[in-house]
Amino acid sequence: MAGVMATGAANLNMNILARETADFTSFRPVFLRGNSQGLSSASSLCDTRISADSKQKKPWISRKQNGNRSTVVSPRAVSDTFNELTCLDPVASRSVLGIILGGGAGTRLYPLTKKRAKPAVPLGANYRLIDIPVSNCINSNISKIYVLTQFNSASLNRHLSRAYSSNMGSYKDEGFVEVLAAQQSPENPNWFQGTADAVRQYLWLFEEQQVMEFLILAGDHLYRMDYQKFIQAHRETNADITVAALPMDEKRATAFGLMKIDNEGRITEFSEKPTGEQLRAMMVDTTILGLDEERAKEMPYIASMGIYVVSKDAMMKLLREQFPHANDFGSEVIPGATSIGMAVQAYLYDGYWEDIGTIEAFYNANLGITKKPIPDFSFYDRSAPIYTQSRFLPPSKMLDADVTDSVIGEGCVIKNCQIRHSVVGLRSWISEGAIIEDALLMGADYYETDDERSLLSNKGGVPIGIGKDSHVKRAIIDKNARIGANVKIINKDNVQEAARETDGYFIKSGIVTVIKDALIPSGTVI
């Protein structure tokens, strides 16, 4: 769990919102059940069975209760979980293969991706982006997971190995989290050309798994979702492909694949990142998704989340026979499958979800976890936790520090300073007199001893961390950065875009990003 939560978000009122019950969703159409983001312990609490063999008939559902007591879960103030139980037959751990796509070079997230793959970018003080889809899989009883990577994958491989390699498998489930890097072969001399091409290049391996569905996920999204309900909807509707979808406003709609659906949730039209007249043509009445009229006017589009459940046979047919040269799922395979009459279904998700593709989106997503009384995304969900590497770090130490509305990671040393509305990553060192506000500090990969810090300072060097009397505002400080004394990183000239890599920083959307391992000399003003 995240380290220390300062005033505000940690002391959430546990009774802000009443618990949702299973009765709320029992009568809703299958494709509208997506905003229930369920329990990691569901398989032990119910005897529901959604059979994959239930063609042409609606599967029966039964639930058992624990005596006269109802199951207690975190309210939505802390958790996005609804109290709805879902069980699959065969169970997800045996019938579903998770495939997480590591993404491209991550140029829009540069310089955070200068030395690491996009899914390996640190998140929320203690975590990395890849921990989100992997944790969602584990909480959804999906234990067979491949992660496809291509760019700067060393730190990602190391993190996955340390975090998950020793605790996923068992004699019965044979669980694993394995990295598959892009490779050349006599049949295919090219690197991954896109999402569909990446899956195609490893189809020979995926088809060896005795599973019924492939769950295709992205490695750079922030959300909490019970994939078992997603898979249940896929099986209930006898779909070939099921696409996770969410309502979207016009401002952001051009960045997504948009769709139109019928009354049964079947996708009738799909357009990837449309603009102009094509965008307006994809406008729909989103009250069909259960939105009230006001929200429907604000969000008149249905957008794809880039998350898919694909039946194994359908995947083989699509990538090998129907579209053997298609490179991308969103722009080629999904529209193509719709056009040839395959059963392509939508599945509504109406919880918090963020595509962390830009510096601004990444900054806002991290700072969003400090909001009070309810953060945008909570790492405090007891029923569906976010897992990560066990680092065995000591508790953070704060000496005469004034910390408000902030999240502090493990193993930090914070001296007489002010921290306001910020996220402070693990092993961070913040010296006396410093002011940190509206900032994201990623911390460090290692400690420097007191002797090493003193020796550096005596020689005119700069130790890792934030120096004395420095001021950091609306900025991202990447790992192992050395910020000298009396440095001001405040974007005093309100510059929106600047590339100063030789000086150790970039500015994108007005946010200063200090590069990993960079040195900012004492007295510098940015």
Side-chain angles (χ1 to χ4, degrees), residues 288-332:
I288 191 176
L289 302 179
L291 275 65
D292 57 43
E293 291 189 5
E294 184 176 348
R295 279 197 74 202
K297 288 180 180 179
E298 295 173 358
M299 299 184 174
Y301 298 95
I302 303 175
S304 167
M305 296 168 61
I307 300 173
Y308 318 105
V309 175
V310 186
S311 297
K312 184 177 182 180
D313 292 342
M315 182 73 84
M316 300 299 170
K317 181 179 179 182
L318 283 166
L319 296 188
R320 285 181 174 165
E321 299 174 19
Q322 295 290 343
F323 307 103
H325 303 295
N327 291 329
D328 187 70
F329 279 111
S331 61
E332 297 173 89

Side-chain angles (χ1 to χ4, degrees), residues 254-274:
T254 55
F256 298 92
L258 304 181
M259 64 188 79
K260 292 182 177 180
I261 62 175
D262 62 20
N263 291 333
E264 298 298 321
R266 182 70 60 89
I267 297 175
T268 58
E269 189 176 346
F270 194 97
S271 179
E272 181 71 3
K273 299 179 181 178

Side-chain angles (χ1 to χ4, degrees), residues 205-256:
L205 177 62
F206 300 153
E207 67 180 337
E208 292 178 359
Q209 296 289 333
Q210 300 301 309
V211 297
M212 297 169 51
E213 293 100 4
F214 297 137
L215 175 65
I216 309 297
L217 304 169
D220 57 351
H221 295 169
L222 180 59
Y223 64 108
R224 181 179 277 107
M225 184 177 185
D226 184 356
Y227 298 137
Q228 292 181 107
K229 294 179 175 62
F230 192 11
I231 297 159
Q232 174 185 330
H234 178 81
R235 293 180 181 178
E236 285 187 358
T237 56
N238 300 320
D240 295 308
I241 304 173
T242 302
V243 181
L246 75 169
M248 184 62 60
D249 57 78
E250 185 169 358
K251 180 180 178 181
R252 296 190 296 162
T254 55
F256 298 92

Side-chain angles (χ1 to χ4, degrees), residues 95-238:
S95 61
V96 180
L97 177 67
I99 302 172
I100 302 174
L101 304 175
T107 54
R108 293 185 301 161
L109 265 180
Y110 195 87
L112 300 180
T113 53
K114 180 179 179 180
K115 297 183 178 181
R116 58 170 79 91
K118 190 159 48 170
V121 172
L123 172 75
N126 281 357
Y127 307 89
R128 292 180 185 259
L129 280 173
I130 191 64
D131 291 325
I132 301 300
V134 172
S135 297
N136 283 336
C137 283
I138 294 172
N139 294 331
S140 302
N141 199 29
I142 296 170
S143 57
K144 299 177 180 179
I145 306 166
Y146 284 115
V147 181
L148 274 58
T149 66
Q150 181 163 276
F151 295 95
N152 289 339
S153 57
S155 63
L156 177 62
N157 297 351
R158 182 169 58 248
H159 176 76
L160 290 172
S161 176
R162 292 176 177 176
Y164 305 105
S165 63
S166 62
N167 53 18
M168 285 294 292
S170 68
Y171 177 73
K172 290 184 177 181
D173 289 338
E174 298 179 347
F176 57 83
V177 178
E178 293 184 8
V179 175
L180 300 176
Q183 60 184 8
Q184 294 175 308
S185 67
E187 294 80 18
N188 193 332
N190 299 315
W191 303 112
F192 296 156
Q193 302 300 305
T195 54
D197 183 63
V199 173
R200 182 189 295 108
Q201 289 195 33
Y202 275 105
L203 270 183
W204 62 271
L205 177 62
F206 300 153
E207 67 180 337
E208 292 178 359
Q209 296 289 333
Q210 300 301 309
V211 297
M212 297 169 51
E213 293 100 4
F214 297 137
L215 175 65
I216 309 297
L217 304 169
D220 57 351
H221 295 169
L222 180 59
Y223 64 108
R224 181 179 277 107
M225 184 177 185
D226 184 356
Y227 298 137
Q228 292 181 107
K229 294 179 175 62
F230 192 11
I231 297 159
Q232 174 185 330
H234 178 81
R235 293 180 181 178
E236 285 187 358
T237 56
N238 300 320

